[in-house]
Amino acid sequence: MTRYDRYSLSSDQQQQKQTLNPPAAAAAATADRKLDTVAVAPGTTMTDEELLLLERANAERDEIFLRYDQGRKCDSIDAWEDPMFEVYTQADRYGFLHPVAPAQSKEAELLQHRIEMERVKKWVKMHKNWDAAATKENLRRRVMKGIPDRMRSAIWRKLLDLDRQIRENGGMYDRMLDCARRHSPDIRQIDFDVNRQFRNHVFYRERYSVKQQSLFRVLAAYSMYNTEVGYCQGMSTVAAVLLMYFDEEDTFWALDVLMTNQRYAMHGLYIVGFPKLMRFLAHHDRILTKCLPKVKKHLDKHEVHSVLYSLKWFFVIFIERIPFSLCLRVWDIYMMYGERVLTAMAYTILKVHKTKLLRMKDMDQVTDFLQTSLHKQFGYDDDYVIKALQSSMDELKKLKLLNLPPPSANELPTMPRGQTVEPSTKARIGHRNEQFSEREIALKETVLYRSESKNEEEEEQYNNGEQGAGDRAATAEDEDDERTEKDYDDITEDTVSQLHTGVSTSSLRTIQSFTTFDTGTSLATSLNSLVIIDSFDDYCDNDRIIEESTRL
């Protein structure tokens, strides 16, 4: 099926709508009536081709919503979208599936359970007396010790003040979701990202599962609620974690608090130009220069610039870069203290692994360690790392490096949220450049060649029996990681067609521009296709940079 074949509603899809239950069928019929007439802003002249493309884009959006409305009853689920559970043997306490059960002694497990149950009693009492002086006195200390997982939903709700948000904005979520059904230009990209988010988690493994449906709706509604951001790829990861602890509407408002509250202000991470991400990277380098000069010099020597390893540290709050249990502890503290926790945690990771990093001899070793190895095995238990984090916050505070420099004016929303703003025609159509320059073609071929060569080399090593039984188990896990992160992130023609490279004269060689999936959308951005280069010729000559760009 070609791309445009999916944009028009076929007779089969009409039959699917007729088989829906009555409420869903009525909703689909209403959507069909809305699609009969293409809305055009007054005074706007559109060509016949633009009208056709707009009809196809509207039909595609309606089709995607229809599939999520059907859920698991949808009969267009491909086998690769819905992998079998039998390849896994064990689910951890957070719902992530593993080929091999996590190594933990029975005694350690029982001790952890006993400690957590003792803490639950204290947290229940604090939750009931949230405004009491004793709670305010003990809250920060106990957050550093860790919120029991069974209390995390209730405490996060308090820290983010969700009850007030929902009370003051009654009915807003449903209105924004309805608006997204009619207007959102980001639905295609949201659908794509939902399908690859946490594919090794019981909530998100099955295509069109309940949690996939909720994640899709939350992101679709927010793309219309905050039109300055619309949708950016990292938002799906953050929302997916929130959905593990909140219901759908609570997740919507929790995401909005993280985006717009000045304590977190993640809005600046996702808007065009990524101004807050730039501030994070620059401030991180200042901290290393002051506090870890040997590590900074070592990383610079091997051209391991901070942007290569720290994107997910700042962009999605360390998800998929440190073990999930530790990541949740960092999220607890982040909810309490805000953005300064991220700079301190980034410093802590490099500080506790300083000796190991200084022994590494090239870029590949360093980036593989920071991007992949730490997520699988951090090397220190969670309590030790959190104590180190607290020490780092105290150290940076004394050096006046804990807080970021003042933000620019556009890092917080400048427009009222929740207003119905109809996207431009170009945004709704989602124009894509079908003509590729010679540089773009060469870039695409080079990246794909490198990816294929690496896969062939790994397959040859596996077939030749160069790995032991333990290594084979690790390889199975690696292959699953690649399927959930890498294979879904291949550089497509649409991605390459929008690639722009810029020259940076600073020592940071930071990002001049990011790859976008669709021009005209609010910011459907792919971090996984990020490329850091000084010139296109340098890119083609530097295989290591090519490899790193495919890993991000």
Side-chain angles (χ1 to χ4, degrees):
M1 181 180 289
T2 64
R3 186 198 327 157
Y4 284 144
D5 287 337
R6 298 180 65 245
Y7 291 8
S8 57
L9 293 176
S10 64
S11 58
D12 293 337
Q13 291 159 354
Q14 296 287 357
Q15 291 175 5
Q16 291 176 13
K17 291 184 177 183
Q18 295 173 5
T19 60
L20 292 174
N21 54 54
T30 302
D32 280 342
R33 288 193 295 271
K34 292 175 180 177
L35 286 173
D36 288 340
T37 304
V38 178
V40 181
T44 301
T45 303
M46 299 180 63
T47 65
D48 291 341
E49 181 181 2
E50 288 176 330
L51 285 170
L52 178 60
L53 291 175
L54 185 56
E55 288 179 351
R56 289 172 172 173
N58 288 340
E60 180 197 32
R61 183 177 61 249
D62 185 57
E63 178 195 347
I64 292 173
F65 264 103
L66 176 62
R67 293 202 301 269
Y68 280 95
D69 290 340
Q70 291 175 319
R72 293 293 296 167
K73 295 180 181 180
C74 178
D75 59 3
S76 60
I77 301 175
D78 294 329
W80 69 267
E81 292 183 300
D82 200 16
M84 301 294 289
F85 280 93
E86 283 75 7
V87 298
Y88 293 96
T89 59
Q90 185 74 29
D92 63 25
R93 62 177 302 196
Y94 301 107
F96 287 94
L97 301 165
H98 304 274
V100 180
Q104 188 178 25
S105 66
K106 191 69 174 178
E107 292 77 10
E109 186 176 345
L110 290 174
L111 177 61
Q112 179 184 4
H113 178 72
R114 181 174 61 81
I115 293 174
E116 182 163 329
M117 290 305 299
E118 291 176 356
R119 289 179 176 172
V120 165
K121 297 176 184 178
K122 298 178 181 179
W123 278 99
V124 169
K125 183 177 180 181
M126 288 175 59
H127 183 258
K128 290 181 178 179
N129 302 280
W130 188 255
D131 296 323
T135 298
K136 296 178 181 178
E137 180 181 350
N138 296 324
L139 182 60
R140 293 176 181 266
R141 176 173 53 85
R142 288 182 178 169
V143 165
M144 295 300 292
K145 285 187 176 181
I147 301 173
D149 196 60
R150 65 188 64 196
M151 291 296 298
R152 199 161 259 130
S153 173
I155 301 304
W156 282 7
R157 187 182 186 89
K158 290 290 188 180
L159 292 174
L160 296 176
D161 199 13
L162 294 188
D163 291 330
R164 180 183 61 82
Q165 287 277 6
I166 295 174
R167 184 172 60 252
E168 294 177 356
N169 296 278
M172 177 64 74
Y173 174 68
D174 291 332
R175 290 197 297 274
M176 291 299 101
L177 183 57
D178 181 66
C179 186
R181 286 181 179 271
R182 292 180 282 116
H183 298 299
S184 178
D186 300 311
I187 296 304
R188 175 175 50 200
Q189 186 59 44
I190 291 172
D191 173 51
F192 180 81
D193 290 339
V194 167
N195 190 24
R196 63 179 181 173
Q197 189 62 60
F198 290 141
R199 294 302 300 274
N200 60 336
H201 193 281
V202 293
F203 282 170
Y204 302 101
R205 184 110 178 121
E206 291 185 315
R207 189 66 171 121
Y208 304 117
S209 63
V210 172
K211 284 295 185 180
Q212 278 203 7
Q213 290 174 296
S214 294
L215 180 59
F216 172 80
R217 289 192 289 262
V218 167
L219 296 172
Y222 198 79
S223 71
M224 299 306 296
Y225 181 71
N226 187 348
T227 54
E228 289 180 81
V229 170
Y231 171 72
C232 183
Q233 190 173 7
M235 293 164 60
S236 64
T237 306
V238 175
V241 174
L242 293 172
L243 266 172
M244 295 178 188
Y245 293 93
F246 295 135
D247 64 20
E248 197 171 301
E249 186 172 1
D250 288 350
T251 297
F252 175 86
W253 291 114
L255 179 63
D256 184 57
V257 171
L258 293 179
M259 295 284 285
T260 60
N261 188 289
Q262 291 189 2
R263 180 184 296 177
Y264 317 104
M266 296 184 73
H267 180 94
L269 290 172
Y270 299 124
I271 60 175
V272 176
F274 310 97
K276 188 164 186 176
L277 179 60
M278 298 299 103
R279 281 200 300 134
F280 267 125
L281 294 173
H283 189 63
H284 176 67
D285 283 340
R286 281 195 293 272
I287 291 174
L288 294 189
T289 301
K290 178 72 174 180
C291 304
L292 293 173
K294 290 184 179 179
V295 173
K296 180 67 166 64
K297 183 178 179 181
H298 183 72
L299 296 178
D300 289 344
K301 175 184 175 181
H302 296 296
E303 298 183 356
V304 183
H305 305 288
S306 56
V307 71
L308 288 177
Y309 60 83
S310 65
L311 280 181
K312 283 198 172 183
W313 291 3
F314 303 128
F315 212 78
V316 292
I317 322 174
F318 297 93
I319 298 171
E320 297 178 332
R321 287 298 179 263
I322 58 178
F324 192 70
S325 60
L326 176 58
C327 184
L328 288 175
R329 296 283 299 274
V330 173
W331 274 55
D332 294 341
I333 304 168
Y334 178 66
M335 299 279 190
M336 182 80 244
Y337 290 96
E339 61 185 22
R340 51 185 167 166
V341 174
L342 305 188
T343 57
M345 185 60 188
Y347 169 55
T348 301
I349 291 175
L350 298 182
K351 182 172 67 173
V352 299
H353 294 101
K354 173 183 176 181
T355 303
K356 185 175 290 187
L357 287 168
L358 291 175
R359 291 174 181 170
M360 297 180 181
K361 302 299 183 183
D362 56 40
M363 173 191 284
D364 290 341
Q365 273 189 295
V366 176
T367 52
D368 183 69
F369 175 71
L370 294 175
Q371 292 179 358
T372 305
S373 300
L374 288 182
H375 175 60
K376 298 175 182 177
Q377 181 59 48
F378 196 83
Y380 300 91
D381 64 50
D382 295 353
D383 289 333
Y384 176 89
V385 178
I386 296 303
K387 289 180 180 178
L389 171 60
Q390 190 168 15
S391 175
S392 296
M393 292 176 69
D394 294 337
E395 178 185 353
L396 294 176
K397 184 177 181 180
K398 291 179 181 179
L399 296 172
K400 297 183 179 180
L401 290 172
L402 182 58
N403 295 316
L404 291 169
S408 56
N410 67 334
E411 286 193 19
L412 286 173
T414 58
M415 298 170 52
R417 301 185 305 284
Q419 294 185 345
T420 303
V421 179
E422 188 173 345
S424 66
T425 299
K426 187 176 181 181
R428 285 183 290 162
I429 291 175
H431 268 311
R432 297 185 178 193
N433 182 12
E434 301 291 350
Q435 301 299 324
F436 307 124
S437 68
E438 294 181 1
R439 286 184 172 187
E440 291 167 346
I441 293 173
L443 170 63
K444 174 174 174 289
E445 292 177 349
T446 304
V447 171
L448 293 180
Y449 172 76
R450 288 282 298 173
S451 178
E452 292 173 359
S453 299
K454 184 176 181 180
N455 291 338
E456 291 173 359
E457 180 181 349
E458 291 175 351
E459 183 178 355
E460 182 178 355
Q461 290 177 353
Y462 183 85
N463 292 335
N464 289 338
E466 295 181 3
Q467 299 161 308
D471 290 336
R472 290 177 187 271
T475 301
E477 185 175 355
D478 292 343
E479 287 175 352
D480 182 70
D481 289 340
E482 290 175 355
R483 178 175 54 195
T484 58
E485 294 184 6
K486 181 178 178 181
D487 291 349
Y488 295 100
D489 295 340
D490 289 341
I491 294 182
T492 63
E493 291 182 351
D494 295 318
T495 304
V496 174
S497 70
Q498 301 301 328
L499 183 62
H500 299 283
T501 59
V503 179
S504 174
T505 57
S506 69
S507 60
L508 299 179
R509 298 174 67 192
T510 52
I511 309 162
Q512 287 285 322
S513 61
F514 284 75
T515 307
T516 57
F517 277 100
D518 295 301
T519 57
T521 60
S522 298
L523 190 61
T525 307
S526 171
L527 289 182
N528 300 304
S529 304
L530 175 67
V531 181
I532 302 92
I533 49 179
D534 284 343
S535 70
F536 184 83
D537 294 333
D538 288 344
Y539 178 86
C540 292
D541 292 338
N542 195 332
D543 288 343
R544 289 181 300 178
I545 295 294
I546 293 173
E547 184 171 350
E548 290 310 315
S549 69
T550 61
R551 288 182 182 177
L552 290 176

